[in-house]
Amino acid sequence: MIINRRNALMGLAGLSAAGVAAPAVVRADQAAYTVDDFRRVRKFDTHVHINWDNTAFAEQAVADNFELLTINVDYPDFPSLDAQGKVSSLLFKADPKRFHFATAFSMKGFDQPGWAEKTIAHVEDARARGARGVKVWKNVGLIERDASGNLIMLDDVRFDPVIKRIEELGMVFINHQGEPRNCWLPLDQMTTKNDKAYFSNHPNYYMYMHPEGPSYEHLMAVRDDFLDRHPKLNFMGAHMASLEWSVDALSAFLDRFPNATAETAARMGQLQYQSHREYDKVRNFFLKYQDRILYGSDLTMNPDADPAGIRKEIHDAWLSHWRYLATGDTQAIWDLDADVKGLALPKPVIDKIFYGNARRVLGLKT
Ligand SMILES: [Zn+2]
C-alpha cells in the first residue's frame, strides 16, 4: 500500500500556552458544512510525515486547501533525522505560509555527558530554520534504555534542560506516549482493524506479547507526572494523547492540564468506534473541547509512491475525515466494518478543529 496506514491512520496538540483567551463556545445547533464545502474551507493537517523530496503530497495539499505540519520522528523505518530535516526545510522554504515542520532529536548518548547541550543546540538550530515544534516519539518509554539497561521514561529529569529550552523558544512539544490501549489487549479484543493489522505486523511494539514491559497505565501516569513538572509547556498529545479509547479519559486529561491539547492522527477509527455506540457523547465532547482538539491524519508516503496514487489516497483520507467530523453523512468505515454517521459539528467548531487551533498552538498568526 502506498500510504502506511498505521501512520496514515496515527498525531499533536497545545492551547492556552500563549495565554490566549478561549473564544466563546459555539452552540450545538448551528449549521454544519457539507462535502461540497471541503475544498473551499481552509484546513490544517497537524500531523503528516513528508520524508522524501517528492512533490505529490504538497500538490494535493494545495489542491485540497490544506496547510501542513510535517513532523520529523526518531523512527528507524524513516530516513535519518538529518535527511528528514532537509526535506522539511526544502518544503518550508518553498512555501513558508503553507508548510510548517517540527524537529526531533536523537536519543543516542542520552546518559553520557553533553547530551543535553548537544540536543539544545540541535533544537535551537531547527528553530532558527523555522521549526515550530519538537516531537518525542514512543521510543522514549518503550524502546530506549540507559547504560544500566533501564527503559528511559519521559519524566526522566535528564530531559529537563531540553524541555526548558523548548519552552523558552516558544515551540510546541509533541508527544507520542506509549501506544493505543488496544496494544495491551489480545487481537480479538482490539476495537479497530487498523490496530489489529499493525500489531500483528509489528510484534516488537505489541505490548500484549511483552508482559515484562511497561503497562499502559504506567506510561499514562509517567506522562502526567511529566506535565505536572512542566505546567507551562505547550504540550500536544499526538494520537489523542493515547487516550483514544475513551472521550471521558481524554476529557479528564484536558481538564487536569489546561495547556495541553490533543490531535486526532491515526485515531479516527477509535473515535468512530465510540460515536457508533454513543453518538451524542462523542459529539458533545467535541463541542466542549472545541478549542483543544486539532485535526491530524498521520498520512505519509513511501519513496517509490506513484504520484497519482498517493494523491488519491491522501485526498480520500482527508475527505473521509471531513465527512465524519464536519457533515452528518453516513459512510462505510473500513476500520470498523460499520456504517458510521458523521458528527455534523457546527461550522465554527470545524473552523477551529481543522484550522484555527493549529494556527494558535503553533504560534502562527490567525
Ligand atoms: Zn506520525
Side-chain angles (χ1 to χ4, degrees):
M1 147 164 1
I2 293 163
I3 297 177
N4 171 342
R5 192 162 281 280
R6 166 69 177 181
N7 273 319
L9 304 177
M10 276 202 268
L12 246 275
L15 161 63
S16 50
V20 179
V25 168
V26 174
R27 290 200 329 271
D29 58 353
Q30 283 181 256
Y33 287 117
T34 68
V35 166
D36 290 341
D37 294 317
F38 171 74
R39 278 206 165 89
R40 183 181 60 77
V41 176
R42 63 186 185 178
K43 299 173 292 301
F44 203 127
D45 187 336
T46 48
H47 191 142
V48 302
H49 303 286
I50 302 179
N51 295 330
W52 310 97
D53 188 14
N54 171 332
T55 57
F57 206 129
E59 286 165 10
Q60 196 56 41
V62 172
D64 283 341
N65 204 0
F66 266 94
E67 285 179 40
L68 302 178
L69 180 72
T70 185
I71 302 177
N72 296 175
V73 187
D74 186 14
Y75 176 30
D77 285 5
F78 279 179
S80 71
L81 283 174
D82 275 356
Q84 291 180 53
K86 287 199 177 96
V87 173
S88 300
S89 288
L90 281 175
L91 264 176
F92 177 68
K93 277 188 194 145
D95 189 349
K97 288 203 169 109
R98 184 178 299 274
F99 301 117
H100 315 277
F101 68 98
T103 190
F105 52 75
S106 169
M107 290 296 292
K108 279 201 191 93
F110 176 74
D111 52 3
Q112 285 161 22
W115 179 86
E117 291 77 8
K118 199 176 86 182
T119 303
I120 286 170
H122 169 84
V123 169
E124 288 173 340
D125 174 64
R127 181 74 193 97
R129 288 185 291 105
R132 290 275 155 193
V134 181
K135 165 91 176 250
V136 168
W137 193 55
K138 66 187 179 187
N139 57 331
V140 174
L142 287 174
I143 307 288
E144 301 287 340
R145 292 178 185 274
D146 64 18
S148 320
N150 297 315
L151 282 169
I152 299 165
M153 290 285 160
L154 185 64
D155 62 350
D156 192 308
V157 293
R158 289 172 286 186
F159 284 115
D160 283 359
V162 178
I163 303 303
K164 179 167 171 281
R165 192 69 187 123
I166 290 169
E167 265 185 42
E168 290 167 355
L169 291 167
M171 300 169 87
V172 59
F173 181 82
I174 305 164
N175 173 233
H176 177 175
Q177 178 72 348
E179 288 283 18
R181 199 179 68 153
N182 279 336
C183 177
W184 280 265
L185 299 176
L187 283 172
D188 63 1
Q189 288 179 31
M190 289 190 189
T191 51
T192 65
K193 283 164 71 177
N194 180 40
D195 283 343
K196 282 179 198 174
Y198 179 82
F199 292 115
S200 299
N201 293 324
H202 294 82
N204 51 330
Y205 296 130
Y206 183 16
M207 296 308 291
Y208 177 71
M209 308 291 287
H210 302 283
E212 74 286 0
S215 68
Y216 173 79
E217 292 73 16
H218 179 65
L219 289 167
M220 296 301 101
V222 162
R223 187 265 320 280
D224 293 352
D225 287 347
F226 169 83
L227 281 171
D228 275 335
R229 280 231 314 285
H230 302 285
K232 292 188 184 149
L233 186 64
N234 180 4
F235 179 93
M236 177 150 57
H239 312 297
M240 304 301 278
S242 292
L243 298 165
E244 72 297 321
W245 59 281
S246 161
V247 292
D248 289 334
L250 188 54
S251 299
F253 171 78
L254 293 171
D255 288 346
R256 179 173 166 189
F257 301 108
N259 278 339
T261 50
E263 61 84 23
T264 61
R267 300 294 182 269
M268 211 61 83
Q270 282 89 344
L271 280 166
Q272 290 163 334
Y273 179 89
Q274 293 178 71
S275 71
H276 193 52
R277 287 155 181 80
E278 295 182 283
Y279 182 88
D280 289 343
K281 182 178 187 173
V282 174
R283 189 168 189 273
N284 288 335
F285 166 82
F286 276 100
L287 292 172
K288 181 168 180 189
Y289 297 97
Q290 59 187 265
D291 297 302
R292 313 285 297 281
I293 307 296
L294 291 72
Y295 172 68
S297 66
D298 217 0
L299 289 160
T300 183
M301 62 180 157
N302 294 331
D304 54 353
D306 152 57
I310 183 92
R311 286 190 58 168
K312 181 175 183 327
E313 277 210 45
I314 291 167
H315 173 75
D316 289 351
W318 277 338
L319 187 60
S320 172
H321 297 158
W322 174 267
R323 286 183 76 191
Y324 173 62
L325 293 170
T327 84
D329 292 0
T330 295
Q331 60 180 316
I333 297 298
W334 167 88
D335 207 9
L336 305 178
D337 278 333
D339 292 335
V340 175
K341 182 175 160 55
L343 298 178
L345 295 169
K347 287 179 184 178
V349 174
I350 288 296
D351 290 344
K352 293 177 184 179
I353 291 170
F354 267 96
Y355 192 75
N357 293 346
R359 298 281 306 185
R360 185 193 69 236
V361 167
L362 296 176
L364 297 159
K365 290 200 181 89
T366 47

